Amino acid sequence: MPAVKMDGSALAKKTRAELAVETQRMKEEGIEPHLAVILVGDDPASTVYVRNKEKACIQTGVRSTVIRLGNECDQATLEETVSRLNAAPDVHGILVQLPLPKHLNTARVLSLIDPKKDVDGFHAVNCGLLLSGREGFVPCTPRGVMEILAEYGIDPRGKHAVVVGRSNIVGKPMALLLLGADATVTICHSRTVDLPSVTRSADILIAAVGRRGFITKDMVKPGAVVIDVGINRKEEGGVCGDVEPDVADVAGYMTPVPGGVGPMTIAMLLKNTLDAARRYGA
Ligand code: GUN
């Protein structure tokens, strides 16, 4: 029997509807949740992502402001923009779309964002809060994965969760969230010896590598839950994940690409923005 398709698009739609109700309630209480997005340059993928974020804000009634800076924008201008948003009492969430053009220092910009407005959860303060199991902002993609697991009744407790990929944005926070949910967690990366033998022992397998076809059928335990975080552009057009489609023949559950984790990432950005407005909003 093929794997159950974990429908992230449907769950994101349901989540957005719930967030729209919550946004309306907050507005009636005098708080208008407001997300500010900074986009530097004209990277095509980033432009599409930012447009999708704007669309999702409109659908839920969250105010959004997109600040577009040219490719030639210098570090000082970008930092001034962040500082201005930090100081604006009507802005609750700040997101700097990544990647930035190469001449800009990403780490410095991210460290300048007020942790109380860091809805991406990339600031070292929020990373530290997640590490120590305290309340902060959790990066959107791993938060979305946890919601997908919950929606399909998959409790990580006692399960072996294997995360392939060790990025600050997905792999590391994903591992911490699974650990917090009482999974036994293994993080794999490009230097892992005999990766297939590790992935084959996973009850929950998270692929966050960024390479088409990286996870093949022989690397998956029958019945496993397979979450595909990859978004790779196909030469022939369209996008695909890190997991070969025929993994669905052996997995118990699997997220599609597109329509799996991606839509939930944006829904979690809205959720983090509402959390910011509720916790710190004027
Ligand atoms: N670029 C690709 N994914 C993301 C994300 O989640 N946040 C930001 N800021 N930039 C991204």
Side-chain angles (χ1 to χ4, degrees):
M1 206 170 62
V4 172
K5 180 175 118 176
M6 304 172 99
D7 189 342
S9 292
L11 179 57
K13 191 171 170 193
K14 187 171 91 174
T15 307
R16 284 196 305 271
E18 288 164 4
L19 295 175
V21 172
E22 175 69 10
T23 303
Q24 184 55 34
R25 192 161 39 221
M26 290 176 76
K27 284 182 179 170
E28 283 160 13
E29 289 166 10
I31 300 172
E32 183 183 28
H34 182 185
L35 172 69
V37 175
I38 301 174
L39 173 63
V40 185
D42 52 9
D43 176 72
S46 291
T47 304
V48 172
Y49 289 145
V50 169
R51 198 180 308 132
N52 288 339
K53 286 167 187 170
E54 258 186 303
K55 248 195 257 172
C57 283
I58 291 166
Q59 282 169 349
T60 45
V62 169
R63 185 174 159 199
S64 79
T65 301
V66 178
I67 296 157
R68 293 181 170 82
L69 301 172
N71 243 322
E72 69 292 344
C73 162
D74 61 15
Q75 185 80 20
T77 305
L78 179 55
E79 292 188 6
E80 278 159 26
T81 306
V82 171
S83 299
R84 182 167 56 74
L85 295 171
N86 280 342
D90 66 333
V91 171
H92 306 105
I94 301 171
L95 180 146
V96 176
Q97 185 65 31
L98 302 178
L100 289 170
K102 284 200 171 52
H103 67 280
L104 296 168
N105 184 331
T106 300
R108 257 185 64 173
V109 175
L110 295 182
S111 70
L112 203 66
I113 296 173
D114 181 346
K116 293 189 171 77
K117 298 188 179 189
D118 172 36
V119 286
D120 251 336
F122 295 167
H123 192 287
V125 164
N126 284 312
C127 299
L129 289 170
L130 176 59
L131 188 74
S132 52
R134 289 155 64 198
E135 186 181 88
F137 291 109
V138 174
C140 303
T141 298
R143 190 175 185 193
V145 171
M146 295 307 284
E147 299 246 340
I148 292 173
L149 293 176
E151 175 72 9
Y152 284 85
I154 293 150
D155 182 359
R157 175 173 298 182
K159 305 234 167 62
H160 185 205
V162 173
V163 180
V164 188
R166 56 174 158 178
S167 70
N168 290 338
I169 295 180
V170 182
K172 287 183 208 168
M174 187 75 254
L176 288 169
L177 288 175
L178 289 162
L179 188 63
D182 297 327
T184 301
V185 181
T186 303
I187 305 177
C188 299
H189 46 80
S190 55
R191 307 279 177 208
T192 297
V193 174
D194 195 5
L195 179 67
S197 78
V198 184
T199 57
R200 267 197 300 272
S201 74
D203 303 305
I204 300 172
L205 178 60
I206 314 277
V209 181
R211 268 168 57 186
R212 180 180 186 177
F214 190 84
I215 301 290
T216 49
K217 214 169 164 174
D218 57 307
M219 296 168 75
V220 177
K221 176 159 87 174
V225 177
V226 180
I227 305 285
D228 192 349
V229 179
I231 300 179
N232 308 300
R233 254 147 243 291
K234 295 197 279 193
E235 279 166 30
E236 63 272 32
V239 296
C240 65
D242 294 345
V243 179
E244 280 284 316
D246 67 358
V247 168
D249 298 343
V250 287
Y253 293 82
M254 188 162 143
T255 57
V257 179
V261 176
M264 282 306 288
T265 295
I266 298 186
M268 293 303 102
L269 175 64
L270 297 170
K271 206 165 198 175
N272 279 350
T273 303
L274 293 203
D275 287 348
R278 203 180 303 107
R279 284 178 203 160
Y280 310 114

